Amino acid sequence: MNITLKKAFAEIRLYPARFALVIFALVVGIWGVGSILISYYILSGDLRQNYLNTRPAHAILTSGDFDKLDLKALRARPQIAAAEFRDFSLQRIEVAPDRWIPLWLYGISDFDHMTLATIYPEKGAKVPAPGTLLVERNGLRISNFERERQARVRLPQGIRSIAISGITFDPAQAPATQDHFIYAYTDQQSFAQLTGEPINQRLIVRFNNVTDKAQLKKTVEELVQALSAEGIHISKIQIPEPDEHPHQWQLDTLMVLQGSISLLAFAMAAVLVSQLMAAILSRQIRQIGVLKAMGASRARVLAIYALMVLSLGVVAAVIGVPLAVLSGYGFSYFVAYQLNFNILTTELPGLLYALLFAVGLLLPLLFSLPAILRGTRISVREALSDYGIAVKATGSSTVSPWLQRLPSTLVMAIRNTSRQKKRLAVTVLTMALGVAIFSTGFNVRQSLAVLLQENAESMRHDVRVVLKQPITAEQATALFGKLPNVRKMEAWNGGRGEMEHRLLSSGSGIGITALPFDSELLRPKLVQGHWLRGGNRAELVMNLQAWEAYDSPPVGSRVSTWLNGKQDTLVLAGLVEEFDKPNIYLEQ
């Protein structure tokens, strides 16, 4: 065996426990970093591909005039890639005894030839029988539909039991387990019979050659103008983020957090390797001098210790990379289960394996290189005359006056700790990072507690009942006033609206809430300006989400709005902070 390899392996056998600890730390680091790299590679591509496979709509248009639309002629336009009617109604469904949540019910014209927002059958019927529903699979996790195969739905004509004829998969939807909705699909005729609403009121469209949202908005504006010229008035426009899953941000945030912690763990392991090499080199100064005196060049000596580090990296990579592949796939399946999409990647590219092995080999070597270079730079005379820790000339005290007052054992501990200032700095930095990570967990926990407390102080009511059809305040109070334990109630008005100058900017509109200016049941945290003052002032208050969505107009400025088809100008009186979607508050 080559003398360089013999020397490197002999050093490893000389300190087996110490090197085993270093290998363990490197395995943990490679395992953590590799798992995140592999899961990021799988998840980032597969979530997007699941979404794109459905051919998601670029725009959703709502109108009561689509009976005038020639759908075949619309599809023939050069900018239109696909267009079809996909009706929608918001109802309520019972997922467990006396437990009702929102039902997003879609009416599909042709289940066999969907060109947009495709859904995939999983169990039961591919096409629902008349009067039955297909339920999206993620909804089974928050309901008893798997067992009952019947659903009680609250419809305008009353509560009805509807058969579930099949289970389907819709990767374009946000997970039902997180948004707490049930997604269901039926044919158009059943949709009209169940909801009592007309069909062909909602058009989904996908365009050709659209690369960004600015271009998409421009294309939608052109289409809306063309339809308006044909006498088709568009009452609502929704533009999702182009070709982006609704929860893509959630996945990205999760991967950044996990990756940061794993990378930090691997960096700490590499620092441990560098400290080990520094300790070994400090003990072998005279051995290095003997090697050089026998004719070994600095490069030859450096190769011995570099091979030592590389051998540690090889062992750690051989153990850590397979573990990373297993846990990376396991974590990917877990996230896919939570976000409701399928894992499509079955094989990893060889380049990814090469990257993991390169990180396991080269990063510890790079961290150790300064110590190795410093230890092998010493001359033969300096190495052979080395006798340990240097002291100052006789007669000069090396102990500070303030240290002389302390016990001798403590003085020795302090001096030994501060002797290697760089090592001390690395140790302190590592400990500080560990404390910072530990403290971050508690800070996040405390922040959530504060957020919930502020939200409770802002929303001073226990239940908010939203009615599908408007009724008078007297009717509302008469319905709920006789219930026991009702101490205070108020009747508010509300709906969805749009600011005039950003008609096409919002996917779901801005919430509008009209309430008494002196409401006792809602008082959001004021950030700037003032709350509604009453006296029929033409004022509005925005939460920060609505304020940022519309170019952050200054407080006190006038804002043009459309309410019930009528243009009005209101003064922005203040801004409030709340954990909610974009919302505007007006006085009743």
Side-chain angles (χ1 to χ4, degrees), residues 144-315:
N144 57 9
F145 299 155
E146 184 77 46
R147 182 178 67 255
E148 297 295 337
R149 288 293 181 176
Q150 288 279 334
R152 295 180 73 219
V153 181
R154 182 176 285 119
L155 299 167
Q157 60 268 33
I159 297 176
R160 287 186 54 182
S161 291
I162 304 176
I164 298 174
S165 56
I167 305 300
T168 190
F169 171 43
D170 189 349
Q173 300 283 14
T177 50
Q178 297 187 24
D179 287 7
H180 228 60
F181 299 141
I182 295 293
Y183 305 104
Y185 311 84
T186 189
D187 61 273
Q188 282 190 316
Q189 184 177 358
S190 299
F191 177 89
Q193 292 174 350
L194 293 173
T195 64
E197 300 175 7
I199 61 173
N200 295 342
Q201 305 287 294
R202 183 174 177 268
L203 181 71
I204 56 176
V205 183
R206 186 171 178 86
F207 300 98
N208 288 315
N209 304 320
V210 173
T211 57
D212 54 47
K213 195 163 187 177
Q215 185 180 7
L216 177 57
K217 289 179 182 179
K218 182 180 178 182
T219 306
V220 172
E221 288 176 343
E222 293 173 351
L223 176 61
V224 170
Q225 292 174 359
L227 294 176
S228 178
E230 298 176 9
I232 301 173
H233 171 68
I234 304 299
S235 58
K236 184 178 180 181
I237 303 170
Q238 295 173 263
I239 302 180
E241 287 295 327
D243 296 336
E244 183 176 305
H245 189 273
H247 281 196
Q248 181 69 49
W249 64 272
Q250 191 179 61
L251 175 63
D252 294 342
T253 303
L254 177 65
M255 299 309 298
V256 168
L257 291 175
Q258 295 279 359
S260 301
I261 295 174
S262 300
L263 185 61
L264 183 59
F266 185 69
M268 288 182 178
V271 169
L272 181 61
V273 175
S274 70
Q275 294 303 300
L276 173 65
M277 295 308 301
I280 291 175
L281 287 166
S282 66
R283 292 188 176 199
Q284 298 187 357
I285 295 296
R286 291 189 178 185
Q287 292 187 31
I288 293 173
V290 171
L291 288 172
K292 287 188 173 183
M294 294 173 61
S297 63
R298 183 188 179 189
R300 187 71 175 271
V301 177
L302 189 147
I304 293 173
Y305 295 99
L307 278 173
M308 191 184 307
V309 177
L310 286 174
S311 62
L312 297 178
V314 168
V315 175

Side-chain angles (χ1 to χ4, degrees), residues 43 82 97 129 139 158 166 231 249 256 270 291 333 335 349 364 369 376 397 407 441 461 474 482 522 535 555 557 561:
L43 293 172
W249 64 272
V256 168
L291 288 172
Y333 277 103
V335 173
L369 198 57
T376 57
S397 175
H461 53 275
E474 291 75 13
K482 297 180 181 180
L522 180 69
V555 173
S557 63
T561 62

Side-chain angles (χ1 to χ4, degrees), residues 292-473:
K292 287 188 173 183
M294 294 173 61
S297 63
R298 183 188 179 189
R300 187 71 175 271
V301 177
L302 189 147
I304 293 173
Y305 295 99
L307 278 173
M308 191 184 307
V309 177
L310 286 174
S311 62
L312 297 178
V314 168
V315 175
V318 168
I319 300 173
V321 171
L323 291 175
V325 173
L326 291 175
S327 58
Y329 265 103
F331 183 68
S332 298
Y333 277 103
F334 169 76
V335 173
Y337 178 70
Q338 296 300 322
L339 296 184
N340 193 34
F341 66 95
N342 292 335
I343 295 298
L344 306 176
T345 301
T346 57
E347 295 183 1
L348 299 175
L351 184 61
L352 186 57
Y353 286 103
L355 176 62
L356 291 176
F357 274 96
V359 169
L361 295 177
L362 298 180
L363 199 57
L365 181 61
L366 290 176
F367 273 78
S368 304
L369 198 57
I372 296 175
L373 291 174
R374 185 170 57 252
T376 57
R377 187 170 55 237
I378 192 170
S379 65
V380 175
R381 182 185 62 80
E382 292 174 335
L384 295 178
S385 61
D386 179 75
Y387 51 85
I389 302 173
V391 297
K392 295 185 178 180
T394 305
S396 61
S397 175
T398 60
V399 182
S400 302
W402 67 274
L403 284 177
Q404 295 178 1
R405 304 174 185 175
L406 302 176
S408 59
T409 304
L410 183 59
V411 171
M412 292 179 64
I414 294 175
R415 292 178 63 190
N416 191 53
T417 301
S418 60
R419 182 170 55 86
Q420 292 286 348
K421 294 182 174 57
K422 291 183 178 179
R423 186 182 301 176
L424 175 62
V426 171
T427 303
V428 171
L429 178 60
T430 303
M431 295 178 64
L433 287 173
V435 173
I437 294 172
F438 190 72
S439 300
T440 299
F442 283 99
N443 289 337
V444 171
R445 183 177 183 274
Q446 184 62 29
S447 298
L448 290 174
V450 172
L451 174 64
L452 293 174
Q453 179 63 30
E454 291 181 349
N455 192 51
E457 293 175 357
S458 169
M459 299 177 63
R460 303 176 182 179
H461 53 275
D462 298 313
V463 177
R464 181 183 298 183
V465 179
V466 179
L467 305 177
K468 190 169 183 180
Q469 300 296 332
I471 61 176
T472 64

Side-chain angles (χ1 to χ4, degrees), residues 53-69:
N53 286 346
T54 67
R55 295 196 78 198
H58 283 145
I60 304 169
L61 310 180
T62 303
S63 173
D65 301 327
F66 280 141
D67 56 334
K68 305 175 184 177
L69 177 66

Side-chain angles (χ1 to χ4, degrees), residues 26-69:
L26 285 174
V27 168
V28 171
I30 294 173
W31 187 359
V33 172
S35 297
I36 296 303
L37 285 176
I38 290 171
S39 56
Y40 180 78
Y41 174 82
I42 296 172
L43 293 172
S44 60
D46 287 5
L47 177 62
R48 176 178 171 79
Q49 195 58 50
N50 270 260
Y51 185 68
L52 292 179
N53 286 346
T54 67
R55 295 196 78 198
H58 283 145
I60 304 169
L61 310 180
T62 303
S63 173
D65 301 327
F66 280 141
D67 56 334
K68 305 175 184 177
L69 177 66

